[in-house]
Amino acid sequence: MKRFFKLSFLFVAVAFLCTACEGDVTRALRHEGFAIGEDFVCEAFFDETYTDKIRYLTGTKIITTSGRIYEVSLGKKYANGSHCKVAETQIRVVSIFDNRIVKADDGKLYSLNDENNMLAYTEITDADNSYAIYRLLLDPEGTIKVITADSSNGIYYVLKSDGNVYGVTISQQDHNQPPVIAGSVVVYNKDDYQGNIVDFNYSGMSAATFVRTENKVFHMKAMNVDECTKYADVPCDYQMVEAPVFEENKDYILVYNGSMVITTYKKTFTLQG
């Protein structure tokens, strides 16, 4: 009987400590500017035996390290009782462009979402006006992710397998000439971020702009937030700074995409502002 009570006490103590830790993580994320949302029910990613990890969360899709696509509904659940389901496609993602176009392991390009009268997972062909640009950016060996930084000036940020993010400028003399890469410079150097960059997002001067290495997260932060949110004539002074909340609580963070966090205790958090 004593052994039973000892085991029961130990179980309650561990459960209490875990709950306390989750509360600490929640408070830390809220202090970082995230609002707590609904639970995220998607058992595949909370099963300890499941080895395929999340690589990207686009908002409506999850892409795993093996390239598998899951569809995500953060509002209503699917008929399977979950907020996620395996997409009905054989596409395995190799690289991604603006969270909407993907290059698959068959070398072809596909739409990731329903848009412009095109269903998700439809092949993108040269009938698309931007096909040549997609190819120019996604085809080079080692390309992982592309984000449009300045469409009017043809500037794109490209994450490569060497752990750096490059600013690539594309030019086109006229519509009769194919686009070409006019220049490439490192915009996020892995040496400045203490390790190979594994993911990033560029959203201008906003907290949704981030760089993530295997162990750390850096994001844009307004250093004079009190003044620039109070006065109309005081611009926000944004700088890329380390966000230790992610490193300190990495065991509790399932995925982070700059504007959303899903925790291992199945809570969602959305960036405010």
Side-chain angles (χ1 to χ4, degrees):
M1 182 64 71
K2 290 182 178 179
R3 176 180 172 82
F4 171 77
F5 282 119
K6 287 181 180 179
L7 289 174
S8 298
F9 177 78
L10 180 62
F11 176 79
V12 171
V14 170
F16 174 78
L17 288 173
C18 290
T19 302
C21 290
E22 292 170 2
D24 291 341
V25 176
T26 293
R27 283 188 288 274
L29 288 172
R30 293 181 70 175
H31 181 73
E32 197 68 22
F34 288 84
I36 190 169
E38 302 298 323
D39 287 351
F40 180 67
V41 179
C42 184
E43 292 308 315
F45 299 111
F46 301 100
D47 184 344
E48 292 182 357
T49 64
Y50 187 75
T51 58
D52 200 10
K53 304 299 182 181
I54 296 176
R55 188 174 193 180
Y56 301 120
L57 169 66
T58 70
T60 60
K61 303 290 189 299
I62 281 175
I63 299 173
T64 69
T65 51
S66 71
R68 174 170 287 189
I69 302 171
Y70 284 77
E71 296 181 352
V72 175
S73 172
L74 295 174
K76 293 182 179 179
K77 293 180 180 178
Y78 293 109
N80 63 6
S82 175
H83 291 114
C84 74
K85 66 177 182 178
V86 177
E88 296 179 1
T89 177
Q90 297 302 311
I91 295 171
R92 291 294 180 267
V93 176
V94 172
S95 53
I96 186 169
F97 184 104
D98 279 354
N99 288 338
R100 47 180 292 272
I101 305 294
V102 296
K103 181 180 178 181
D105 58 2
D106 62 5
K108 298 178 181 179
L109 305 183
Y110 297 90
S111 61
L112 188 59
N113 310 307
D114 296 338
E115 60 177 45
N116 299 326
N117 298 318
M118 180 180 294
L119 296 176
Y121 321 125
T122 300
E123 183 181 352
I124 305 293
T125 68
D126 57 8
D128 189 301
N129 292 333
S130 298
Y131 180 80
I133 292 177
Y134 300 151
R135 280 294 182 192
L136 196 59
L137 292 167
L138 292 174
D139 278 351
E141 185 176 355
T143 297
I144 297 174
K145 183 177 184 178
V146 181
I147 296 287
T148 302
D150 183 349
S151 59
S152 60
N153 290 304
I155 300 173
Y156 302 84
Y157 286 1
V158 182
L159 173 62
K160 294 282 193 173
S161 57
D162 66 1
N164 292 314
V165 176
Y166 295 83
V168 177
T169 302
I170 290 180
S171 66
Q172 187 173 12
Q173 291 184 351
D174 56 59
H175 293 296
N176 296 319
Q177 299 294 323
V180 296
I181 293 178
S184 177
V185 297
V186 176
V187 290
Y188 300 133
N189 192 315
K190 61 185 178 183
D191 294 336
D192 297 330
Y193 295 96
Q194 304 173 44
N196 285 346
I197 297 169
V198 297
D199 193 14
F200 82 104
N201 183 57
Y202 181 76
S203 187
M205 295 299 166
S206 78
T209 293
F210 78 94
V211 166
R212 180 168 66 86
T213 69
E214 293 178 352
N215 297 308
K216 294 181 179 292
V217 170
F218 299 78
H219 67 171
M220 284 289 185
K221 184 175 183 179
M223 308 308 292
N224 60 337
V225 64
D226 291 337
E227 293 81 6
C228 74
T229 55
K230 183 178 180 180
Y231 301 110
D233 57 346
V234 177
C236 290
D237 175 25
Y238 280 98
Q239 296 180 29
M240 188 76 89
V241 297
E242 185 175 350
V245 64
F246 294 99
E247 181 182 1
E248 294 166 357
N249 301 289
K250 63 182 179 181
D251 291 339
Y252 292 91
I253 295 176
L254 184 70
V255 62
Y256 162 71
N257 71 355
S259 58
M260 178 173 287
V261 174
I262 300 177
T263 65
T264 58
Y265 53 97
K266 303 181 181 181
K267 282 294 184 183
T268 60
F269 293 81
T270 305
L271 185 66
Q272 295 179 297

